[in-house]
């Protein structure tokens, strides 16, 4: 029998965001939202036009960020968000735009 998830355990969310998300302030906007949720990590432009978002913190806060990325409230236009969950690795401080 596994432990009951409370939403407080630390996790790593990696999200690849597709659409018109480069050159529109999307990384800055993502950084602001992540900091509001108390997360650390980064948002980085990828050569194929996507933005990779890495966020670590409480699972429920990462879920809030993911919902925000999908909300349609961001600058530009999000077509798709692909998510990957893993254990928190640590070693991150702040939230960087790369």
């Amino acid at each position: 029998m596994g432990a009951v998830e409370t939403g407080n355990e630390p996790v790593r969310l990696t999200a690849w965001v597709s659409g018109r998300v480069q050159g529109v302030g999307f990384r800055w906007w993502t950084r602001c939202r992540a900091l509001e949720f108390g997360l650390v990590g980064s948002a980085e432009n990828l050569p194929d036009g996507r933005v990779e978002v890495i966020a670590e913190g409480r699972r429920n806060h990462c879920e809030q960020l993911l919902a925000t990325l999908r909300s349609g409230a961001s600058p530009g236009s999000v077509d798709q968000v692909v998510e990957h969950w893993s254990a928190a690795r640590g070693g991150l401080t702040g939230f960087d735009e790369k």
Side-chain angles (χ1 to χ4, degrees):
M1 196 156 145
V4 174
E5 291 191 8
T6 63
N8 290 330
E9 66 277 0
V11 297
R12 175 178 281 217
L13 165 66
T14 304
W16 296 273
V17 184
S18 303
R20 192 169 59 83
V21 291
Q22 291 190 8
V24 294
F26 183 84
R27 290 175 300 146
W28 175 85
W29 178 86
T30 300
R31 177 182 181 273
C32 291
R33 303 296 78 79
L35 292 173
E36 288 173 3
F37 297 130
L39 302 172
V40 295
S42 63
E44 179 177 4
N45 284 341
L46 298 177
D48 64 6
R50 296 178 299 162
V51 170
E52 180 183 63
V53 178
I54 297 173
E56 282 195 6
R58 290 181 170 184
R59 183 174 186 95
N60 58 340
H61 293 165
C62 286
E63 288 171 348
Q64 287 178 294
L65 178 62
L66 183 61
T68 302
L69 293 174
R70 290 180 167 147
S71 70
S74 68
S77 172
V78 173
D79 294 335
Q80 182 180 31
V81 180
V82 176
E83 67 190 87
H84 174 75
W85 295 92
S86 58
R89 298 181 196 164
L92 300 171
T93 57
F95 201 93
D96 297 326
E97 294 174 60
K98 298 180 179 181

